[in-house]
Amino acid sequence: MRLENKKVIALVSKDFEDLELWYPLLRLQEEGAVVHLIGEEAGKEYPGKYGVPATSDYAFGDINPADYDGILVPGGWSPDKLRRYDKVIEMVQHMNEQRKPIGQICHAGWVLISADILQGRKVTSTPGIKDDMINAGATWYDEAVVKDEHIVSARRPPDLPPYAKAFADLLAEK
């Protein structure tokens, strides 16, 4: 399996977009990656936007992002909460500094904005935060998936198949 020995962080908090967490997570696991759900508290069950719960494996402060090969930030309403945690911002900034794969979909762009890593980047997101992405210094495209070096972005759930593939492909290259 091409992603064997790869470890990925999947951020989770209340009101994550169910498909935007589970689809990429399962896709990566199918290829052999270990994906840990990381939330504010370890072992806490977080309800998804549509009711599918996810239980965190670890708390934000329990892990060292250097031990991971990439990070997934799902959308929904959770990115507005996630970006308020210093540890989340530090994780995303670490991945950016190390040029490790960062996946963001839909409203997840808010986390990357707060991490201040979008200046000069090419991205997409839900059109609802297009202006936020542009104001953070990114060039925004209305495309299913945009890959700019180590950052893979997508707009919404219908874009999940090419998004998950692009992230898995990038992770396999690293």
Side-chain angles (χ1 to χ4, degrees):
M1 292 200 275
R2 72 179 181 149
L3 299 181
E4 191 173 7
N5 300 319
K6 299 289 185 177
K7 285 176 57 179
V8 177
I9 294 166
L11 296 174
V12 65
S13 70
K14 184 177 185 263
D15 295 329
F16 63 88
E17 209 298 340
D18 305 56
L19 285 173
E20 294 171 1
L21 173 71
W22 291 112
Y23 188 106
L25 182 148
L26 294 171
R27 174 76 173 76
L28 295 175
Q29 287 178 335
E30 286 174 345
E31 293 210 43
V34 171
V35 183
H36 289 146
L37 293 174
I38 312 298
E40 183 181 7
E41 298 175 41
K44 180 176 178 177
E45 185 176 280
Y46 295 92
K49 192 171 160 186
Y50 300 106
V52 179
T55 302
S56 57
D57 297 303
Y58 300 101
F60 301 141
D62 292 346
I63 64 158
N64 180 352
D67 296 337
Y68 290 84
D69 302 295
I71 189 168
L72 289 169
V73 187
W77 305 125
S78 70
D80 190 36
K81 297 169 185 69
L82 288 169
R83 66 183 176 164
R84 301 174 196 193
Y85 294 102
D86 291 340
K87 290 288 186 190
V88 168
I89 298 305
E90 291 167 12
M91 277 185 245
V92 172
Q93 289 173 336
H94 171 82
M95 294 297 174
N96 186 60
E97 290 162 6
Q98 299 302 309
R99 299 296 189 245
K100 292 181 179 180
I102 298 171
Q104 69 94 20
I105 184 168
C106 201
H107 286 85
W110 278 336
V111 176
L112 279 62
I113 289 168
S114 293
D116 195 24
I117 65 167
L118 292 181
Q119 186 66 42
R121 292 285 175 199
K122 298 173 188 163
V123 296
T124 193
S125 66
T126 179
I129 66 166
K130 170 186 173 182
D131 293 342
D132 300 332
M133 302 291 272
I134 292 169
N135 290 334
T139 302
W140 189 88
Y141 295 88
D142 187 11
E143 296 176 9
V145 175
V146 174
K147 180 181 168 249
D148 186 351
E149 294 181 15
H150 61 286
I151 298 174
V152 178
S153 57
R155 297 174 300 192
R156 54 183 79 95
D159 302 329
L160 281 164
Y163 167 69
K165 182 182 182 326
F167 187 87
D169 290 347
L170 182 60
L171 191 61
E173 292 171 13
K174 299 289 180 180

